[in-house]
Amino acid sequence: MSTSGSNLGAEFERRFYPFADVVIRLANAEPSERAKALQEVYGRHIGYVLSLLNGLAEEGDFSGWSNEKRSPTVEQQIQNRAKQHLNEKQAKQIYR
């Protein structure tokens, strides 16, 4: 799917969509469930990774990320892409 020719970019794309799917599901969860889930994860590590990504925003052409509004259309696109990645992974395992 990645067209940049970068091995790291391709790996980032492959791992991003499953993560993004979980984040979207988390955002749509009941507040109590969301609070429990967020208390289980390593908040400092999430904050650190978000800080790193923020520092790379200009290079990644997403410097306006903090102005993004929630979009059901974008969320659906991300979740469809995550399903596609999962289906491709499962198909590869079947043919091995």
Side-chain angles (χ1 to χ4, degrees), residues 18-30 33-34 70 75 79:
F19 173 72
D21 180 54
V22 171
V23 172
I24 290 169
R25 291 185 358 232
L26 185 64
N28 293 321
E30 294 292 326
E33 178 62 27
R34 185 172 43 244
R70 284 201 67 177
E75 289 182 13
Q79 289 180 311

Side-chain angles (χ1 to χ4, degrees), residues 3-54:
T3 58
S4 69
S6 164
N7 288 338
L8 191 54
E11 182 175 350
F12 185 64
E13 179 184 16
R14 182 174 54 84
R15 294 173 187 257
F16 169 76
Y17 285 102
F19 173 72
D21 180 54
V22 171
V23 172
I24 290 169
R25 291 185 358 232
L26 185 64
N28 293 321
E30 294 292 326
S32 62
E33 178 62 27
R34 185 172 43 244
K36 283 191 286 186
L38 289 171
Q39 290 169 4
E40 291 179 15
V41 298
Y42 299 100
R44 184 169 183 217
H45 290 175
I46 289 174
Y48 180 77
V49 169
L50 291 174
S51 174
L52 287 175
L53 281 172
N54 185 48

Side-chain angles (χ1 to χ4, degrees), residues 5 19 26 56 68 73 79 82 84:
F19 173 72
L26 185 64
L56 301 172
E68 288 285 333
T73 303
Q79 289 180 311
Q84 181 181 354

Side-chain angles (χ1 to χ4, degrees), residues 68-86:
E68 288 285 333
K69 306 289 184 238
R70 284 201 67 177
S71 168
T73 303
V74 173
E75 289 182 13
Q76 189 62 54
Q77 290 171 349
I78 290 169
Q79 289 180 311
N80 289 343
R81 196 78 172 263
K83 287 178 196 169
Q84 181 181 354
H85 277 267
L86 179 61

